[in-house]
Amino acid sequence: MVRFWKLVLALFLVLSLFGSLLENAGAVQEKKLTVVYQSDFKGYVEGSG
Amino acid sequence: MARWATAIKLQREKDRNLLLLDAGNAFSQLGVAPEAAAEATIQGMNLLQYDALAVGEGELSLGVDFFRKMQNNSSFPLVSANLFVHDDSQSLGKRFLIKEANGISVGITSVISPAYFQNFPDLGKQIQVLDPAKALSDIIPTIRKQADLIILLSHLGEVETRSLVQKVAGIDVAVIGHDSGVLDPPVQAGKTLVVKNANKGMYFGALEIVVDSESHIVQTNNLIKKLAADVVADPAVGELLQTYQQAKSTSLREKSKAMRKNQMEEQLHKTLNALSPEEFVEQEMKRRQQVQKPAQPQ
């Protein structure tokens, strides 16, 4: 019986580790960039922004 | 512009993977010294390390030669996929460019509406504006081979942009130019996310794009905020503006001098027109005698 629970615990730990690795791999593969944009500034060099 | 510069610099501190884009009409032919304003704008954009500026009718409103001068002065490309020179069919701007940011390759192109040149008949003789949908359909497969994402700087206004991106496949993001106002939140038109920040530099617009391992967009966050009055002006751009203000004062003086000259000439014409031919001859004789009369020694 004890051997059975040890096996369950070991399986749980292995699966958690595997899941965590997968999650990390996914996070690394996502990439982010920011686009700062505007238009129609119309030569307002002194005013507005 | 100096406050806009501060906002960009703050954003760069937070995020190194940044593209800085303008969808056109950074210049205008209106104002006291439009050429000086355009020159200051380009210099400011160089300082801020812009990545691309779409060619709007504003960029061409001061003439093709001036446009070419600004092109040479800029450290970033002026982009257009559908503007060509009449004589030699050469593209007036760069048709597209590819930029790398955080390992994502981004293709950037631009189109303008032919309708915007109706008020510039002289320009119409020098340039040729292709149908935007046709120009994009031709160029997008070439861009797609080199880019994970495609951004269109759409100098077509909002209605035309929404319609175009549903007809032409492959555009991930469209930044609207020509119309004034902002789009908050952005709108989805077909598979394209459409954004707009067209308000004489009064607002700050930033779109955060997250892509997965296959370069599909999985998340976007758009930020549009009015530049608060307490945003400090950037000193380097502020210095540029002093040069512009000097040019503006000179231009104002010259314009006022020219106006006075025109008024005097108009007055003289009126006086002469009021004289009979005999009176005119008599006055002219008197004037010539006065001119020829030697100066009396003191």
Side-chain angles (χ1 to χ4, degrees), chain B residues 34-101:
Chain B
E35 287 88 357
E39 279 169 10
T41 303
I42 284 288
Q43 285 173 29
M45 291 169 94
N46 285 345
L47 272 178
L48 295 172
Q49 297 174 307
Y50 263 73
D51 292 292
L53 163 64
V55 185
E57 75 282 9
E59 278 64 40
L60 288 164
S61 63
L62 298 163
V64 174
D65 291 341
F66 185 80
F67 170 79
R68 294 242 190 251
K69 190 180 157 194
M70 293 300 100
Q71 237 176 349
N72 291 334
N73 290 353
S74 70
S75 59
F76 51 88
L78 278 77
V79 188
S80 184
N82 72 330
L83 273 172
F84 292 84
V85 180
H86 246 315
D87 295 341
D88 53 12
S89 301
Q90 271 192 346
S91 175
L92 199 61
K94 195 174 170 75
R95 294 185 73 198
F96 71 91
L97 69 145
I98 307 289
K99 295 293 287 191
E100 285 280 329

Side-chain angles (χ1 to χ4, degrees), chain B residues 177-247:
Chain B
H178 189 78
D179 275 0
S180 60
V182 295
L183 261 183
D184 190 21
V187 293
Q188 190 75 34
K191 290 184 176 175
T192 307
L193 185 70
V194 180
V195 296
K196 179 164 83 164
N197 173 24
N199 232 327
K200 296 171 186 165
M202 285 193 287
Y203 286 77
F204 181 76
L207 177 70
E208 196 179 278
I209 303 171
V210 181
V211 298
D212 65 13
S213 57
E214 290 175 351
S215 300
H216 296 132
I217 296 178
V218 288
Q219 196 188 334
T220 58
N221 298 306
N222 189 57
L223 168 78
I224 287 276
K225 67 173 179 191
K226 192 161 188 183
L227 285 178
D230 59 356
V231 174
V232 182
D234 179 72
V237 175
E239 212 169 287
L240 259 181
L241 297 187
Q242 282 182 358
T243 316
Y244 161 70
Q245 275 159 347
Q246 282 166 2

Side-chain angles (χ1 to χ4, degrees), chain A residues 25-49, chain B residues 1 3-4 15 17 19 21-26 102 178 197-198 200-201 205 207 209 211 222 245 248:
Chain A
V28 168
Q29 280 170 353
E30 280 194 351
K31 290 180 272 188
K32 192 188 88 173
L33 85 110
T34 304
V35 180
V36 173
Y37 61 92
Q38 78 158 346
S39 72
D40 297 81
F41 184 63
K42 294 187 174 169
Y44 272 72
V45 280
E46 317 167 87
S48 303
Chain B
M1 189 184 201
R3 287 165 57 234
W4 166 252
D15 193 350
N17 303 303
L19 289 179
L21 306 176
D22 190 304
N25 281 2
N102 197 21
H178 189 78
N197 173 24
K200 296 171 186 165
L207 177 70
I209 303 171
V211 298
N222 189 57
Q245 275 159 347
K248 195 173 117 179

Side-chain angles (χ1 to χ4, degrees), chain B residues 135-149:
Chain B
L136 281 177
S137 302
D138 288 349
I139 208 167
I140 279 183
T142 312
I143 305 175
R144 185 53 77 184
K145 281 181 196 162
Q146 304 168 54
D148 300 318
L149 292 179

Side-chain angles (χ1 to χ4, degrees), chain B residues 90-127:
Chain B
Q90 271 192 346
S91 175
L92 199 61
K94 195 174 170 75
R95 294 185 73 198
F96 71 91
L97 69 145
I98 307 289
K99 295 293 287 191
E100 285 280 329
N102 197 21
I104 308 166
S105 52
V106 184
I108 302 159
T109 187
S110 167
V111 283
I112 184 167
S113 170
Y116 301 156
F117 291 95
Q118 282 169 359
N119 296 331
F120 301 96
D122 289 342
L123 264 180
K125 289 174 198 158
Q126 295 176 68
I127 58 172

Side-chain angles (χ1 to χ4, degrees), chain B residues 265-277 279-280 283-284:
Chain B
E265 279 176 359
E266 215 172 282
Q267 188 59 44
L268 183 67
H269 278 130
K270 271 185 192 167
T271 314
L272 291 177
N273 284 339
L275 295 176
S276 69
E279 285 169 331
F280 174 74
Q283 281 214 358
E284 187 61 12

